[in-house]
Amino acid sequence: MLDPDSGLSLTIARIVQRLKGSSLHSQLERQARGNWEKRILKSLNSMCTELGIPLAQKRPVNEQKELLNKWNEMGTDEPDLSLFRPVYAPKDFLEVLMNLRNPNYENGEQLSFRNHLGLIQVPLKVKDIPELKEDFSELGLNIGQLGIDDSAQVPPEFFENEHVRVGQKVLAEQDSAAAQQYVRQGCPTALRADLWALILNISNQPEDILYYEQLKSNVIQHDLLVDSLIYKDVKLTASNDDYYFVFEDYLYQVLLCFSRDTSVLEHFTYSSATPPKSYIRGKLGMEEYAVFYPPNGVIPFHGFSMYVAPLCFLYHEPSRLYQIFREMYVRFFFRLHSISSHASGIVSLCLLFETLLQTHLPQLFYHLREIGAQPLRISFKWLVRAFSGYLATDQLLLLWDRILGYNSLEILAVLAAAVFAFRAVNLMEVTSLAAAEAVLADLSTLKVMPLLQIFLFATVT
Amino acid sequence: MPVPVRERCRCRCGADAAVPQVQEIVFRNFYTAFLSVRVQRPGPGGPRRWVTCLRDHRLMPCPHTEEGSQDYFSLHRHQMLCDMDQVTAVRFILRQPSPVWLHFTIEELQIFPPGQKSPQKDFPSWLSQLSPPEQPASLHGELPDPEKVSTEVQQMWVLTEVIRARQAAARIGRFDVDGCYDINLLSYT
């Protein structure tokens, strides 16, 4: 049974980890965020009125029984989703970010040193390569990495065997801080599930399983409009993906429960977003009948299910998979689709990507700009999805190892710049945005660690 | 190249303050990069002179970027270069060398004499609600009493069964109001 000491320290560790506040600057950013959130609400409301479907309704008993019976095979259902459309797609979000302006900043129309040449015009502080080299020092050329030094040509005695041995020791000691340091050099496949759980402080206690069962019963009882959006998103994205279509049922089991999880509301204290609100029918304006919609306050967008899909390779027990995803979301993924000035927020990541490209590949940047192919237009979707669905899964997991290890999403922007650097020769020859997109359409053959290492440590500046 | 703009603002203490002392200065920044503070106080000779008590205190780590631009700052007397007693006037000198900002100033300026604490941010309620960790029963090398352990395990099992049975009415993570989640459209305010 649960030892009170370990429960308390786990809770504190989780709270401390999450409380990396997102600093809010600029009243206009708040205003832009307000306008963006209102747009999302309007879109959802109009879908609701057009289709004549309520935002939420209690499921009739026979439907509840039916859903319970096919809980493990919801993918076989083929509901008519043609009338539903995603509330927004990453490119809509990019349009909003492009139009963020600080009224106190001199945004002249003429090109001057004040204007940024990329799409993001907000003057946030981003790191340059010397600073990134220091931050990501464990990715250096003379330090062993999984993803490079475990390839077939390298004898395992050089690095891999010792690294696995150290990983097993870290797990045996159950040392979360050591695990976080360890995964900076990559996780062995066999140890990854446990190491990530250790870093995220997920221990599968009976009460966690109970909590998941409680969420499942909430799904059975109430039918939400958001459920159809989730179905549609899974059908459009994960089910069409060669790697992830097998996990379709898991994705429903996680995402439907995620929408009902009110504990996710806690992350809004350090996120700069606001959860949508509504009132019980007939009690408009009465605060005691105000509720959040969906219960977790997060409206899924096109591609949201791709945050969960890679985790299905690691975890097969629905409640454990669910907990890992929830913790990854409230620590990292929420920053990728909300407006804030946090260093790992999407605005900073976009600016970091554009600045790195402009500083280290100025000819390429200029050329792409001239042909109307602003680099961020192509890389934005990679950043919002943390490269899920674009890289091969083993490469993606090596990348997410480093996100956990460094507790930052900046590596995504560095990788995006490194990909452009890798394909620079081809990109210099294209003459349109469509051609540039074609050059960068397929990332499935890329090896992320060599790209990152070369870009950070081996590029002549 | 535009010359860095200097801005100055002056404030005088109330003339009837007995011996004005400054304990703490609190303000909210608005795009000021560096702050200098000078105070007018009696010198060693007698007549009042202006003395610099804070020189080029950096508020924005990088004047061209947003960091620190709208943060709250608090300056204590122990950070100052001189004594903050018998102060009759305080002068704030703001510097913003970057030409990209249209305006810069400081706002919500408050000066506190000794004995008055600056407004503390409330501690989040959960910090005060954390119960102190219970002392685990010291085993002293003995095994715990099996009767006691089995009673506790049985109690836990009963609790689990109760929670499982009460799923529909469980208060954990309820998002509905009295079982009802029948809602109107989303609210814009």
Side-chain angles (χ1 to χ4, degrees), chain A residues 173-184:
Chain A
E173 302 282 321
Q174 285 289 291
D175 189 338
S176 180
Q180 197 171 337
Q181 180 67 29
Y182 173 79
V183 304
R184 291 179 181 187

Side-chain angles (χ1 to χ4, degrees), chain A residues 162-335:
Chain A
E162 178 62 19
H163 191 62
V164 172
R165 204 187 60 79
V166 173
Q168 285 162 341
K169 189 144 184 271
V170 167
L171 273 177
E173 302 282 321
Q174 285 289 291
D175 189 338
S176 180
Q180 197 171 337
Q181 180 67 29
Y182 173 79
V183 304
R184 291 179 181 187
Q185 291 172 264
C187 265
T189 317
L191 307 178
R192 182 175 276 129
D194 291 325
L195 280 168
W196 283 21
L198 182 55
I199 295 171
L200 296 169
N201 289 319
I202 303 295
S203 55
N204 221 20
Q205 303 286 348
E207 68 208 32
D208 300 317
I209 303 177
L210 275 176
Y211 189 77
Y212 176 75
E213 293 295 320
Q214 170 69 29
L215 293 175
K216 180 175 158 185
S217 73
N218 289 340
V219 176
I220 307 277
Q221 281 184 356
H222 287 101
D223 184 15
L224 304 183
L225 179 68
V226 166
D227 293 349
S228 305
L229 296 176
I230 291 172
Y231 272 113
K232 179 125 193 175
D233 185 47
V234 173
K235 292 280 184 206
L236 283 179
T237 55
S239 303
N240 280 334
D241 191 301
D242 293 336
Y243 294 112
Y244 302 122
F245 71 92
V246 289
F247 300 122
E248 191 182 338
D249 297 324
Y250 278 121
L251 296 176
Y252 297 126
Q253 291 176 28
V254 166
L255 288 167
L256 293 179
C257 290
F258 181 64
S259 301
R260 270 72 169 175
D261 193 349
T262 50
S263 70
V264 175
L265 290 172
E266 288 165 18
H267 93 279
F268 286 105
T269 53
Y270 53 88
S271 160
S272 40
T274 337
K277 210 167 86 160
S278 182
Y279 295 90
I280 299 290
R281 208 177 283 282
K283 313 278 185 203
L284 188 63
M286 294 165 69
E287 282 315 307
E288 56 274 22
Y289 291 95
V291 289
F292 291 115
Y293 183 85
N296 71 346
V298 179
I299 297 186
F301 55 90
H302 177 65
F304 193 85
S305 53
M306 296 306 283
Y307 290 143
V308 190
L311 303 173
C312 299
F313 276 105
L314 302 174
Y315 305 98
H316 307 295
E317 225 182 86
S319 75
R320 201 158 183 237
L321 172 63
Y322 175 75
Q323 281 193 79
I324 296 278
F325 164 65
R326 179 180 62 184
E327 190 64 24
M328 293 277 288
Y329 180 81
V330 299
R331 272 201 213 188
F332 303 114
F333 297 146
F334 78 94
R335 298 201 192 276

Side-chain angles (χ1 to χ4, degrees), chain A residues 1 4-5 8 12 15 19 25-27 30 38 41-42 44-45 48-49 55-56 58 102-106 113-114 122-125 210-211 213-214 217-218 221-222 224 260 262 276-282 284 288-289 291-295, chain B residues 1-2 28 30-31 61-62 64-71 99-104 126 130-136 152-153 156-157 160 163-164 166-168 170 172-189:
Chain A
M1 289 295 152
D5 273 351
L8 183 65
I12 291 179
I15 291 173
L19 277 179
H25 297 288
S26 179
Q27 284 146 348
R30 260 174 242 143
K38 220 183 228 181
L41 299 184
K42 277 199 181 136
L44 204 53
N45 275 344
C48 183
T49 34
L55 287 174
K58 205 158 171 108
N102 185 340
N104 195 34
Y105 191 81
E106 234 184 289
F113 69 90
R114 292 176 184 80
V122 183
L124 295 173
K125 174 90 173 73
L210 275 176
Y211 189 77
E213 293 295 320
Q214 170 69 29
S217 73
N218 289 340
Q221 281 184 356
H222 287 101
L224 304 183
R260 270 72 169 175
T262 50
K277 210 167 86 160
S278 182
Y279 295 90
I280 299 290
R281 208 177 283 282
L284 188 63
E288 56 274 22
Y289 291 95
V291 289
F292 291 115
Y293 183 85
Chain B
M1 189 67 185
R28 185 170 191 250
F30 189 78
Y31 294 95
C62 173
H64 298 297
T65 65
E66 292 265 356
E67 209 179 331
S69 59
Q70 295 186 41
D71 286 358
V100 302
W101 307 111
L102 298 174
H103 307 285
F104 64 95
W126 53 260
L130 286 176
S131 49
E134 294 161 22
Q135 289 296 329
E152 280 174 13
V153 170
M156 287 293 200
W157 179 83
T160 317
I163 291 177
R164 206 198 299 271
R166 282 178 51 203
Q167 266 170 14
I172 310 163
R174 277 183 66 188
F175 54 81
D176 52 337
V177 178
D178 297 330
C180 173
Y181 195 60
D182 206 18
I183 52 180
N184 268 327
L185 298 176
L186 298 173
S187 162
Y188 296 124
T189 45

Side-chain angles (χ1 to χ4, degrees), chain A residues 300-460:
Chain A
F301 55 90
H302 177 65
F304 193 85
S305 53
M306 296 306 283
Y307 290 143
V308 190
L311 303 173
C312 299
F313 276 105
L314 302 174
Y315 305 98
H316 307 295
E317 225 182 86
S319 75
R320 201 158 183 237
L321 172 63
Y322 175 75
Q323 281 193 79
I324 296 278
F325 164 65
R326 179 180 62 184
E327 190 64 24
M328 293 277 288
Y329 180 81
V330 299
R331 272 201 213 188
F332 303 114
F333 297 146
F334 78 94
R335 298 201 192 276
L336 296 172
H337 67 91
S338 52
I339 302 176
S340 96
S341 53
H342 193 267
S344 276
I346 188 70
V347 187
S348 300
L349 295 182
C350 289
L351 189 58
L352 175 60
F353 162 73
E354 290 188 317
T355 312
L356 284 174
L357 208 60
Q358 201 181 332
T359 315
H360 298 282
L361 295 151
Q363 248 190 326
L364 176 63
F365 191 89
Y366 181 77
H367 169 72
L368 289 173
R369 220 175 148 264
E370 286 293 291
I371 61 170
Q374 277 273 10
L376 187 60
R377 284 199 191 278
I378 304 172
S379 63
F380 187 71
K381 53 188 183 294
W382 306 338
L383 298 174
V384 170
R385 282 214 214 157
F387 281 91
S388 174
Y390 297 104
L391 295 172
T393 22
D394 61 324
Q395 297 301 311
L396 182 74
L397 293 173
L398 287 169
L399 179 67
W400 286 16
D401 282 341
R402 272 71 180 193
I403 292 180
L404 282 164
Y406 290 101
N407 200 31
S408 147
L409 293 163
E410 286 162 318
I411 197 112
L412 298 176
V414 181
L415 179 62
V419 170
F420 271 72
F422 184 60
R423 301 245 168 112
V425 173
N426 294 15
L427 286 169
M428 284 302 290
E429 290 172 14
V430 299
T431 51
S432 70
L433 173 61
E437 300 251 20
V439 169
L440 293 165
D442 183 10
L443 307 184
S444 57
T445 51
L446 294 184
K447 301 273 180 263
V448 306
M449 296 319 300
L451 283 181
L452 284 168
Q453 230 182 30
I454 292 172
F455 187 77
L456 284 174
F457 296 97
T459 305
V460 176

